[in-house]
Amino acid sequence: MGPSGVVPLVAFLFAAQPDVKPRVSELQVALDGRRVDLGFALENAFTDDLFERIQSGLASGFTFRFVLFRDHKRWFDKTLDDTALQVVAMYNAVEREYLVNYKQDGRLIESRVVQDRAELERAMTRFEDFHAFTLGDLDPERRLLIRARAELGSRTIFKLIPTRVTTEWVRSRKFRPPAA
């Protein structure tokens, strides 16, 4: 194969590689009075390695971080509140089912039992109507936004320096609190 055949081959190999970097997507904000509910998805994070860890009996999952900001046009955004959602799955080998626990800021808010891998992946990566924040007496003229990311676990650099594996931060659309 000559030099002219190498370029199409390399281009084909790079084009065939899908973007498999985990990311938070579809971040949607819904206001119900003073309540802020979120819908979101975690893509490309439910891997075969994660599934095998769960199958082996290790409790495994993700932690989602959400930060509520007051938007400033020409200055740094002001942090108003933050919350964390931890999703952990465990395999029950006797019953052949998975228990998925959801904790918000360390407090158990829901548990769900699922039967197969597809259901488990949906339960750990797709969320609707997650109650993230309650708005206090905020000025309805101020714009707010939410930033979100997922923590996928930890690893070490050079087998010495611990670090967290996270997705990039994503931003919601800007919104205003309802008038009191």
Side-chain angles (χ1 to χ4, degrees):
M1 181 182 312
S4 62
V6 172
V7 174
L9 177 63
V10 170
F12 171 76
L13 290 175
F14 280 109
Q17 294 291 329
D19 182 20
V20 294
K21 191 172 183 180
R23 67 186 184 99
V24 175
S25 66
E26 305 170 27
L27 181 60
Q28 300 293 320
V29 176
L31 294 175
D32 183 12
R34 300 307 246 170
R35 212 178 125 115
V36 179
D37 293 336
L38 302 177
F40 59 96
L42 178 60
E43 296 179 359
N44 304 323
F46 196 89
T47 62
D48 290 337
D49 290 340
L50 174 66
F51 184 67
E52 287 174 14
R53 268 198 321 266
I54 295 169
Q55 282 285 102
S56 71
L58 293 174
S60 301
F62 312 111
T63 301
F64 298 92
R65 304 260 178 222
F66 304 97
V67 183
L68 176 66
F69 288 96
R70 182 168 50 210
D71 181 49
H72 290 285
K73 289 184 182 181
R74 294 176 189 88
W75 196 246
F76 297 109
D77 296 335
K78 181 181 178 190
T79 302
L80 299 174
D81 200 1
D82 61 23
T83 191
L85 172 66
Q86 185 180 20
V87 181
V88 177
M90 295 170 279
Y91 182 61
N92 182 339
V94 174
E95 299 292 327
R96 296 179 188 244
E97 61 190 15
Y98 305 91
L99 174 64
V100 183
N101 289 323
Y102 304 88
K103 293 181 181 180
Q104 185 173 8
D105 297 327
R107 193 183 83 242
L108 183 67
I109 57 173
E110 182 184 354
S111 290
R112 186 183 311 172
V113 175
V114 296
Q115 304 300 320
D116 61 23
R117 180 182 174 148
E119 217 178 344
L120 177 64
E121 182 173 358
R122 249 187 331 276
M124 293 181 72
T125 62
R126 302 268 176 211
F127 300 88
E128 295 178 10
D129 301 324
F130 167 64
H131 173 60
F133 303 103
T134 301
L135 302 175
D137 297 329
L138 294 174
D139 181 7
E141 298 301 313
R142 293 288 191 180
R143 292 182 311 182
L144 306 174
L145 66 101
I146 294 174
R147 291 187 185 148
R149 81 172 179 186
E151 294 177 359
L152 309 173
S154 62
R155 66 176 181 189
T156 58
I157 300 172
F158 304 120
K159 297 185 179 184
L160 181 66
I161 305 166
T163 183
R164 291 195 182 278
V165 179
T166 64
T167 63
E168 297 291 322
W169 285 100
V170 296
R171 295 169 61 131
S172 71
R173 65 173 168 76
K174 296 175 183 173
F175 61 96
R176 296 186 190 278

